[in-house]
Amino acid sequence: MKRQPKAEWGKFPEIDTTHPSVIRVYDFLLGGKDNFAVDREAGRKLRQVSPELVDIAQAGRGFVRRVVRFLTREAGIRQIVDVGSGLPSARKVHEAAHAEAPDTRVVYLDNDPVALVHGRALLADNHNTSFIYANLLQPREMMAALRDQKLIDFDEPLAVLVAGALHRVMPEHDAPGIIREVLAPLPVGSYLCLATLINDGTGNAAKAEVVGGETLGRLKFRTSEEVLALLDGLELVPPGFGCVSAWRPDDPEQVFDPDMIWCKGAVGRKVHT
């Protein structure tokens, strides 16, 4: 595929340092430095009610890395779209992909201005990566922007990662409809990765959902059944749906306790138009 020039970045909202941001709190939990005092305060409140959130953040990052390795090494995918990516420096999808296949094209999408600023700086000299300012809650427009950006070829299979954005999709936003809109333009042989925080009535999930909603705005932790329904019609890659720490672990002896990691996910392959 002929290399295309990067899209113009355009204007975006100013960075709000008076309210905590989900991606900056996530960065704080991972020990990062791309956060402000208001984010650290929110992170500490969450950590008080749910100390395991630090392990959950680490488990989620490891899950994404292993998924990308599977996609590039085993599935032969050379196009990856990370939706609701947050800070590319935290996820490093492009680094994991390029370690296996340097020609893999990676596009990050997020509607957080901090993510855009850092993505713009981090990816400026990488011609196989880009960052689009887009919102998962507007899936049709998001997919149109992805097509217009031209780094992704919709005539070839690609992988879409939604591994950290579903908790901001509220019931009135129609998560099944959003996922259908995301899947619709993907060719057969493409993959969808979903991962999200789960409230099945175990651990401190319920407390974290309440405190997170109070500090970060409305959050929706889904049940396992709700997430599985979003994957309906896809062929799940073994081991299927489950705790992210147990999905193809590098070292089975070092897996986080599944009862403490209330974050689940799966990878599914599109087998029908």
Side-chain angles (χ1 to χ4, degrees):
M1 179 179 175
K2 184 178 178 180
R3 180 179 294 173
Q4 299 290 340
K6 284 182 176 289
E8 293 295 325
W9 296 106
K11 295 181 179 180
F12 50 90
E14 293 183 1
I15 297 171
D16 181 1
T17 62
T18 63
H19 296 87
S21 156
V22 171
I23 71 163
R24 299 193 311 252
V25 171
Y26 178 74
D27 176 73
F28 167 72
L29 292 173
L30 286 171
K33 298 180 179 179
D34 296 319
N35 50 72
F36 300 103
V38 67
D39 307 305
R40 294 188 285 275
E41 180 181 358
R44 292 186 189 103
K45 288 181 179 179
L46 284 166
R47 217 166 45 188
Q48 285 178 350
V49 300
S50 178
E52 66 268 33
L53 272 172
V54 174
D55 288 342
I56 289 173
Q58 293 174 345
R61 182 166 63 174
F63 169 72
V64 169
R65 184 185 66 250
R66 296 192 304 276
V67 167
V68 171
R69 186 170 62 200
F70 158 77
L71 291 168
T72 50
R73 181 186 296 181
E74 299 183 42
I77 292 295
R78 293 296 179 267
Q79 306 183 102
I80 300 175
V81 178
D82 189 4
V83 177
S85 62
L87 297 165
S89 57
R91 290 276 274 262
K92 298 185 179 179
V93 168
H94 63 291
E95 290 185 3
H98 294 160
E100 298 292 335
D103 60 332
T104 303
R105 301 183 295 278
V106 177
V107 176
Y108 295 95
L109 296 93
D110 207 295
N111 67 333
D112 188 293
V114 171
L116 180 58
V117 169
H118 283 267
R120 176 181 179 180
L122 181 67
L123 308 175
D125 297 324
N126 192 322
H127 295 288
N128 277 337
T129 63
S130 189
F131 200 113
I132 296 177
Y133 188 72
N135 192 339
L136 178 62
L137 301 183
Q138 299 173 316
R140 189 169 299 180
E141 293 83 352
M142 181 184 76
M143 298 307 287
L146 182 63
R147 188 184 294 275
D148 291 343
Q149 202 270 344
K150 299 186 184 303
L151 193 64
I152 299 298
D153 183 353
F154 279 82
D155 290 329
E156 300 176 10
L158 61 138
V160 177
L161 314 181
V162 185
L166 280 176
H167 55 271
R168 302 310 298 267
V169 179
M170 305 308 294
E172 65 268 24
H173 295 144
D174 182 21
I178 288 175
I179 296 302
R180 285 195 297 270
E181 290 280 4
V182 170
L183 285 171
L186 307 188
V188 170
S190 295
Y191 290 82
L192 173 69
C193 167
L194 291 184
T196 191
L197 298 172
I198 298 290
N199 184 357
D200 282 336
T202 61
N204 293 314
K207 292 180 182 178
E209 185 173 9
V210 171
V211 174
E214 293 172 349
T215 57
L216 299 172
R218 297 176 67 199
L219 298 177
K220 167 65 175 174
F221 289 13
R222 287 174 164 76
T223 64
S224 295
E225 289 73 18
E226 287 175 316
V227 181
L228 275 170
L230 299 177
L231 295 160
D232 187 46
L234 298 177
E235 180 182 82
L236 296 188
V237 174
F241 176 76
C243 175
V244 293
S245 68
W247 198 91
R248 300 188 173 211
D250 295 326
D251 183 355
E253 299 297 324
Q254 299 297 321
V255 172
F256 290 105
D257 182 355
D259 291 333
M260 297 296 292
I261 305 300
W262 25 270
C263 180
K264 295 184 178 181
V267 178
R269 184 173 181 268
K270 185 174 181 178
V271 292
H272 303 292
T273 56

